[in-house]
Amino acid sequence: MSFPAPKPHSSPGSPAFTRRRALGALLAVPAAGLLSACGGTATAGSQRISQAALEPLAASVPAGTTIKVGDPSIKVALELSGLAKDLDGFTVEFANISGGPQTTEAFRANALDVGSVADIPAIHATWTGLDVRIIAAGYRQDAVNHPIYELGVAPGAGIGRLEDLRGKKVAYSPGQAQGALVLRILDKAGLKQEDVKLVELPSTGDAYATALASRQVDAAPLGGVQIKRYLAKYRADGATTLRHGLRDDPSLLYSPAKVLADPAKAAALAVYVKVWGKAQRWIEDHPAEWLEGYYVKDQGLSREDGQYLIDATGNRDLPTAWAEAIARHQETIDLLAREQKKPQLKAEDLYDTRFEAIAGTAFTSTAKAGAA
């Protein structure tokens, strides 16, 4: 899933944010540099680092270690909660980078060590020859009733159920979570790609809502506050949304395998993943502070929109074992491989199992201790 980049800001009175080991450093990565570094069309057959070749995680982080992180929303959570202190002892540089395409380009440019995405970027990165691994996984407890996306329907499109997509124009963004969701929706409805007209559009900002309103497309997956805003603006004209009834909830951290093969960086990332798990618990347990500190002050949303997003998320689920999640991921891979004519992959190969229990254990133990 993709978050807007946070505005640089400081936290007065917090010494952890006034020295270099603090969390506030931002890494500026020029977009042109990222694009130029992204050349090449390698395939999934490129040489991969085996899980067996990765050393056990070190118990401590060597002095002088730095990790570069693309995880904007958690940066704010660490500031608000005071959990940034748990990252003392090594340097964390946050980059204003989020979402699959930007993150993968930054990996190729050696400008990022870990990024926050949904479940599709790791698949597509692997298909283009970039060896990456998932190191943390979070979900929603009641995912079907708390979806990230709903299917927006254009005014007058005549779509009242998923099967009505036959013959319609559907917004499609291959390589992103929204694109994979479209294919999953078609599969659920018993439709094939040739039964609809897929219209490739970027899924950034309000592009999909605008395309729906202008009837450039008949249907498009809308996420987050875009659902609320689209209906508020166009419901009187006949706009609607449909619940797709599928899980679309993965929230993952992933890293290049070559980064994870560096013992110092791997140790630092293990600490980061632990604090990430604590931060997820803090966000869930402190909705008022999260609403004000993140959605209102950092993202510039109204309190009403911020509360809508909090309510839409529901309760979080950070598992300590990945078997079930990997099985769901495999189903997605199988569908994409078939529909996009890509090589078959094993989902388990996309996960670094050294990190399997770290985030979930931190999430659970923080709740039990009533910490943060």
Side-chain angles (χ1 to χ4, degrees):
M1 177 173 67
S2 171
F3 293 98
K7 304 177 186 69
H9 62 283
S10 61
S11 298
S14 174
F17 286 84
T18 61
R19 59 185 186 274
R20 187 168 189 272
R21 282 196 302 270
L23 203 57
L26 291 176
L27 175 67
V29 183
L34 291 179
L35 291 172
S36 64
C38 192
T41 56
T43 68
S46 299
Q47 186 65 38
R48 289 175 55 83
I49 297 173
S50 70
Q51 185 69 32
L54 299 173
E55 297 180 11
L57 294 173
S60 60
V61 182
T65 302
T66 296
I67 56 172
K68 300 169 186 177
V69 178
D71 200 358
S73 64
I74 295 300
K75 174 184 181 293
V76 180
L78 300 182
E79 294 173 349
L80 294 172
S81 66
L83 285 167
K85 67 182 183 302
D86 291 2
L87 296 173
D88 278 351
F90 60 97
T91 300
V92 179
E93 296 177 350
F94 271 87
N96 280 327
I97 294 173
S98 60
Q102 276 194 328
T103 301
T104 299
E105 288 170 3
F107 286 164
R108 292 188 186 280
N110 298 317
L112 203 65
D113 294 318
V114 63
S116 176
V117 293
D119 59 343
I120 305 306
I123 301 171
H124 279 269
T126 303
W127 276 333
T128 60
L130 182 63
D131 190 3
V132 296
R133 305 294 162 83
I134 293 159
I135 61 172
Y139 306 91
R140 297 181 176 188
Q141 285 187 17
D142 187 11
V144 171
N145 291 313
H146 290 84
I148 294 175
Y149 301 101
E150 293 184 18
L151 192 64
V153 178
I159 301 172
R161 55 181 189 149
L162 299 183
E163 289 79 5
D164 294 336
L165 289 170
R166 185 182 296 275
K168 304 296 185 180
K169 295 176 292 184
V170 183
Y172 181 60
S173 53
Q176 294 187 273
Q178 295 94 324
L181 179 60
V182 165
L183 295 180
R184 295 176 65 213
I185 288 172
L186 294 179
D187 186 62
K188 180 180 179 179
L191 301 174
K192 300 183 181 300
Q193 290 188 55
E194 53 266 30
D195 293 326
V196 301
K197 182 178 180 181
L198 296 179
V199 180
E200 289 199 19
L201 291 172
S203 60
T204 55
D206 62 355
Y208 277 6
T210 300
L212 287 166
S214 64
R215 290 301 304 274
Q216 184 180 356
V217 296
D218 299 305
L222 300 177
V225 76
Q226 289 294 337
I227 300 169
K228 175 177 177 289
R229 292 175 177 174
Y230 176 67
L231 291 175
K233 193 170 184 179
Y234 300 109
R235 191 195 297 271
D237 299 326
T240 60
T241 63
L242 284 177
R243 288 282 182 95
H244 50 69
L246 298 164
R247 293 196 67 150
D248 63 2
D249 59 324
S251 177
L252 311 175
L253 296 181
Y254 76 142
S255 297
K258 65 181 180 181
V259 170
L260 297 170
D262 180 330
K265 284 187 178 289
L269 286 169
V271 175
Y272 182 79
V273 166
K274 180 178 180 178
V275 178
W276 182 85
K278 291 182 178 181
Q280 298 289 344
R281 171 56 69 179
W282 185 89
I283 292 170
E284 182 166 305
D285 290 347
H286 297 79
E289 293 95 324
W290 186 237
L291 170 63
E292 189 68 25
Y294 179 63
Y295 287 120
V296 176
K297 291 185 178 178
D298 187 82
Q299 295 296 293
L301 297 179
S302 68
R303 287 177 176 80
E304 182 184 13
D305 283 350
Q307 189 61 53
Y308 171 86
L309 292 172
I310 289 172
D311 294 341
T313 299
N315 293 323
R316 288 164 168 76
D317 174 27
L318 272 66
T320 56
W322 288 341
E324 184 179 341
I326 290 173
R328 292 197 302 267
H329 211 165
Q330 187 66 59
E331 292 176 357
T332 300
I333 291 171
D334 293 345
L335 176 65
L336 294 181
R338 182 177 72 246
E339 295 296 322
Q340 297 181 346
K341 306 297 189 292
K342 298 290 188 180
Q344 185 56 257
L345 303 174
K346 290 184 178 180
E348 61 187 303
D349 293 341
L350 302 182
Y351 291 75
D352 187 337
T353 53
R354 296 177 300 172
F355 293 81
E356 184 170 18
I358 295 176
T361 299
F363 181 81
T364 302
S365 62
T366 301
K368 288 179 178 178

